Amino acid sequence: MLIDTHCHYNHERLENEIEACLLRAEADDVKQCIVVGFNRDSSEAAVKLAERYPKQVYAAVGVHPHDSKHWNTDTEEWFRQISLHPAVVAIGEIGLDFHYDFSPRPDQYAAFRSQMRLAKEVSLPVILHCREAYPETLAILAEPEFAEVRGVMHCWAGSVEEAKQTTALGYWLGIGGTLTFKNAEAVRASAVAVPLTSLLVETDAPYLAPMPHRGKRNEPAYTRLVAERLAELRALPYSEIAHITTKNARTCFPKLR
Ligand code: NI
């Protein structure tokens, strides 16, 4: 079986199709998923979905760098409370996005650091969003204050050198549909350069559909296409990739049952 460690059934492009998507995922060996929040409403929606589909769906709660300007002590307290919910397996997605800069960078840093502190306080792993900010993100992960925090750098898009730094800090790489893109040599190079025990698979659905669905709406069933491509690259049978990445997901996210 596979676990899609990052998807957005809480997104308007998927929320009305969830039952059909869950059936297709099941048929393609994708038995569980983590629905990741990106602000307060989507985090609450993720938890509700996890309550409705307790065998298949788990939740992550957090404020995305795009929404960092709305982070304050009230939202922090709300996230502290909801993070204690049994179905919440991670704080995320959180991090830095210097590609879009939808929130000012000081706000991005403040919300990221606060949520890293929260993760540490409630003993949950983090799901990190990082775009054009690998050196800055890695510097924060390496701060002594966050030495006990672990998690995943979702939708891996860094260099091989950054991949090695990330796994040396005890973090996983979330490998998604970009692995199958024609021009994604750096992603493929990272996926073979680090230990297999440091890799998770994901879709980021509805975004970033793998080949041959590139440009269309993604869905968690396509985690299978990512895992098959990874199996090819690592010269291992699909079953072995499924077994190891699922075990990795349970190590990264201890509240997954
Ligand atoms: Ni995402």
Side-chain angles (χ1 to χ4, degrees), residues 10-232:
N10 49 353
H11 188 284
E12 57 188 7
R13 290 178 71 197
L14 280 172
E15 64 191 358
N16 296 321
E17 286 185 78
I18 180 164
E19 310 232 331
C21 285
L22 285 170
L23 286 174
R24 286 193 291 269
E26 174 84 25
D28 273 339
D29 204 25
V30 185
K31 310 286 188 191
Q32 292 182 329
C33 67
I34 300 174
V35 174
V36 183
F38 39 90
N39 57 22
R40 187 167 153 162
D41 286 352
S42 60
S43 296
E44 191 167 19
V47 172
K48 290 216 170 96
L49 288 169
E51 286 174 343
R52 197 179 314 153
Y53 306 103
K55 292 198 181 94
Q56 296 128 303
V57 176
Y58 291 83
V61 298
V63 172
H64 192 282
H66 290 347
D67 270 305
S68 295
K69 54 177 178 272
H70 303 302
W71 180 260
N72 59 39
T73 50
D74 287 346
T75 42
E76 180 178 344
E77 189 47 35
W78 185 86
F79 277 97
R80 177 173 287 107
Q81 293 309 320
I82 202 165
S83 70
L84 306 174
H85 189 289
V88 172
V89 301
I91 300 296
E93 53 190 291
I94 64 173
L96 301 172
D97 191 314
F98 293 170
H99 178 76
Y100 288 108
D101 278 323
F102 284 157
S103 282
R105 291 187 187 182
D107 290 351
Q108 293 193 40
Y109 277 108
F112 183 22
R113 281 214 171 82
S114 276
Q115 293 179 94
M116 286 288 287
R117 273 182 213 114
L118 176 61
K120 179 180 168 180
E121 177 193 322
V122 299
S123 299
L124 282 176
V126 289
I127 295 177
L128 301 169
H129 171 104
C130 174
R131 187 128 187 228
E132 293 176 20
Y134 280 94
E136 295 85 353
T137 302
L138 285 163
I140 289 176
L141 302 186
E143 287 174 9
E145 180 183 5
F146 302 129
E148 298 146 47
V149 181
R150 291 291 181 273
V152 59
M153 285 267 233
H154 126 78
C155 191
W156 181 258
S159 67
V160 167
E161 193 44 47
E162 288 157 346
K164 288 179 179 169
Q165 288 172 33
T166 302
T167 58
L169 286 165
Y171 283 75
W172 283 263
L173 308 188
I175 303 294
T178 52
L179 185 75
T180 68
F181 292 1
K182 200 171 179 183
N183 58 354
E185 281 311 326
V187 180
R188 285 187 283 277
S190 294
V192 296
V194 302
L196 201 48
T197 48
S198 296
L199 299 180
L200 304 179
V201 286
E202 61 168 65
T203 58
D204 203 17
Y207 310 107
L208 293 170
M211 296 292 283
H213 308 288
R214 188 173 183 180
K216 303 201 185 103
R217 202 252 303 103
N218 198 0
E219 64 176 81
Y222 299 163
T223 312
R224 174 71 180 243
L225 297 168
V226 175
E228 285 175 350
R229 187 75 179 93
L230 186 58
E232 244 174 69

